[in-house]
Amino acid sequence: MAAKSERIAPVADQAISVTDLFTIGVGPSSSHTVGPMRAAKDFAERAVAPGAVIRVRCELFGSLALTGLGHATDVAILLGLAGETPETVDPDQIPAKAAAIRADKALPLDGGTAIPFDEATDLLFLRGKFLAGHANAMRFTAFRADGGEEQATYFSIGGGAILREGDPVCSANVALRHPFSSAAELLAIGEAAGLSIGEVVAANEEAWRSPGETDAFLAKVRAAMLACIARGLKGEGVLPGGLNVRRRAKAVHDALVQRGPRVDPSTVFEWVSLWALAVNEENAAGGRVVTAPTNGAAGVLPAVLNYYEVFVPGATAAGSRLFLLTASAIGFLYKKRASISAAEMGCQGEVGVACSMAAAGLAAALGASNAQIENAAEIGMEHNLGLTCDPIGGLVQVPCIERNTMGAIKAINAAYLALHGDGRHVVSLDAVIETMRQTGVDMRSKYKETSLGGLAVNVVEC
């Protein structure tokens, strides 16, 4: 295999919004499904503008090529080129839409005129080839009637975010009230301004929209998270992909309900684990989820948020809002200083980051100081360092689904450990983020979402 590509360097001064970190899309993967669908949609829009496209081709590289079939990247490309977006496509209609394109060997480019499309020649999985820039790369080519061609390369850089080669990495200049690029800066701002971490984020969001609009967005995110739990608790049957993994959340839920009220040490972690399980089974089935910060780690934050609302006496809507704002601040730091892409960092960059975010969010909702919040986030990551991404069959199922249950429980543990202290600790959040980054760089490619090592090769597929 070719050597892994050099990654797009993190940009510490990039302005990131909560709307960038939390997006509502479809499963099973933010980087392999949501990102490619967005890239294909963007290319289709650009290609049809001049008119007269007679054919399009997509070439997939790196992790997208190696595990794309298991992550439904092929379906995402088909639907994106046909004009669908992760935010608006009906998950229940995805199989039928993809089947129609395949049966007709034609797709309506950006929802318009149908053009011939044969996956055998027009959607190529170039396994073993990486492009400079990022391990998740795709190249689109549009062929025109006059013989001209238009080509563009996109990178799916984690959490559903995409970058078109040649475009600036930084967002447009946005004047944040309290810009920060490290946890140390964030803590200093909070102390100087007399603000909690969540309040710092809320103030910064005013650079994009009114406080009311931000509150409405966060309420929408919360509702989508809890709705995903509810749907996951009802789902039954075998997950798609060929591993014959059965959905367990409904059976576990029914057993817990039948058992009735019970006070013992297992009650809380059984319910929290169930909620995370429900979300990630729904994600694996291609359902509607919130990238938080990715689809592969989508169950951690909803499960911990639901823990706060169900098990913490006196939980409030304001507390849930603070949970999400605070968690987003921690997510910003990982995006700025490292990566949330498993293809670059391994699963420490997905479930590990989600655990760190959820720990901080819960600590804030429980009344922690900024120093305790930073400590909670650090603990959440410190005990996920080195976590590999080696999905069996390239599917976001084993070990991904159960791994979210572990991340949620760790996050709650980290929050309470931090609350028992005064915020002083040996390892800073900045140090643990840098350690995660270095570990990700040093980690061999076969352990970073390529399904070429670990469980992916040591477990015989069903």
Side-chain angles (χ1 to χ4, degrees):
M1 182 196 301
K4 183 184 180 300
S5 63
E6 293 297 319
R7 73 174 301 268
I8 297 170
V11 180
D13 60 354
Q14 182 177 359
I16 308 173
S17 168
V18 293
T19 60
D20 299 319
L21 192 69
F22 298 132
T23 60
I24 300 173
V26 293
S29 172
S30 49
S31 59
H32 286 58
T33 314
V34 175
M37 191 182 297
R38 287 177 175 156
K41 164 64 174 173
D42 183 77
F43 181 77
E45 286 181 349
R46 294 171 185 266
V48 301
V53 175
I54 59 173
R55 180 189 167 206
V56 293
R57 181 180 65 211
C58 176
E59 299 166 287
L60 300 173
F61 301 86
S63 179
L64 292 181
L66 290 165
T67 63
L69 290 176
H71 289 74
T73 303
D74 51 341
V75 173
I77 295 294
L78 295 180
L79 268 62
L81 288 174
E84 300 287 354
T85 68
E87 296 83 0
T88 59
V89 67
D90 182 350
D92 293 333
Q93 295 300 313
I94 288 176
K97 288 178 181 291
I101 293 171
R102 286 167 166 161
D104 298 339
K105 289 194 175 182
L107 60 81
L109 189 61
D110 199 31
T113 303
I115 62 172
F117 191 89
D118 185 348
E119 285 185 76
T121 55
D122 297 330
L123 182 53
L124 306 177
F125 288 76
L126 303 180
R127 295 174 177 85
K129 294 185 178 180
F130 289 83
L131 294 187
H134 199 279
N136 293 328
M138 62 206 105
R139 180 187 293 144
F140 295 91
T141 305
F143 301 89
R144 303 196 178 279
D146 61 4
E149 297 181 10
E150 180 178 343
Q151 191 172 88
T153 298
Y154 292 79
F155 305 107
S156 183
I157 59 177
I162 59 171
L163 178 67
R164 189 169 183 264
E165 189 174 53
D167 288 351
V169 177
C170 286
S171 57
N173 289 333
V174 175
L176 301 182
R177 188 175 302 176
H178 305 293
F180 61 90
S181 59
S182 69
E185 291 178 357
L186 181 56
L187 290 173
I189 289 168
E191 183 175 358
L195 298 173
S196 70
I197 288 174
E199 289 170 337
V200 170
V201 174
N204 284 345
E205 291 300 309
E206 292 184 38
W208 286 282
R209 70 196 75 82
S210 71
E213 290 173 312
T214 295
D215 289 349
F217 171 78
L218 293 172
K220 183 179 178 181
V221 167
R222 172 193 171 274
M225 287 180 171
L226 299 186
C228 188
I229 291 176
R231 288 194 308 273
L233 294 178
K234 298 175 183 176
E236 296 182 279
V238 176
L239 293 170
L243 285 184
N244 296 320
V245 174
R246 299 196 65 83
R247 296 180 69 145
R248 291 174 287 169
K250 185 179 185 300
V252 174
H253 174 260
D254 292 348
L256 287 176
V257 171
Q258 185 175 11
R259 190 175 74 184
R262 191 172 142 180
V263 180
D264 64 52
S266 73
T267 301
V268 172
F269 73 69
E270 284 188 277
W271 278 101
V272 172
S273 295
L274 168 62
W275 295 329
L277 188 77
V279 170
N280 282 84
E281 286 184 349
E282 189 67 15
N283 177 64
R288 179 79 63 201
V289 299
V290 178
T291 57
T294 67
N295 283 27
V300 177
L301 264 75
V304 178
L305 176 62
N306 212 31
Y307 161 80
Y308 166 72
E309 295 190 0
V310 172
F311 286 109
V312 175
T316 64
S320 295
R321 173 180 173 276
L322 182 62
F323 177 107
L324 291 172
L325 286 169
T326 306
S328 67
I330 305 306
F332 296 162
L333 292 175
Y334 284 98
K335 283 180 69 76
K336 288 170 178 284
R337 304 182 70 83
S339 172
I340 59 170
S341 168
E344 292 186 297
M345 296 288 112
C347 198
Q348 61 174 357
E350 294 204 22
V351 168
V353 171
C355 178
S356 184
M357 291 169 61
L362 178 60
L366 294 174
S369 67
N370 285 351
Q372 290 171 319
I373 292 168
E374 186 258 1
N375 189 13
E378 181 276 323
I379 295 171
M381 174 52 73
E382 185 176 339
H383 303 288
N384 280 290
L385 288 173
L387 196 60
T388 61
C389 181
D390 52 356
I392 298 175
L395 299 166
V396 192
Q397 296 179 18
V398 182
C400 320
I401 294 172
E402 289 181 356
R403 189 166 283 174
N404 275 257
T405 72
M406 302 296 111
I409 297 300
K410 281 185 180 182
I412 296 171
N413 191 20
Y416 282 104
L417 278 173
L419 282 164
H420 281 297
D422 60 5
R424 290 179 292 182
H425 52 107
V426 174
V427 180
S428 70
L429 178 57
D430 288 332
V432 86
I433 293 174
E434 174 58 16
T435 302
M436 185 202 80
R437 189 194 67 78
Q438 292 177 7
T439 303
V441 171
D442 290 341
M443 190 181 293
R444 295 180 66 181
S445 294
K446 69 179 184 178
Y447 298 117
K448 293 190 285 190
E449 209 167 11
T450 60
S451 287
L452 295 175
L455 288 176
V457 298
N458 288 310
V459 176
V460 177
E461 295 183 22
C462 301

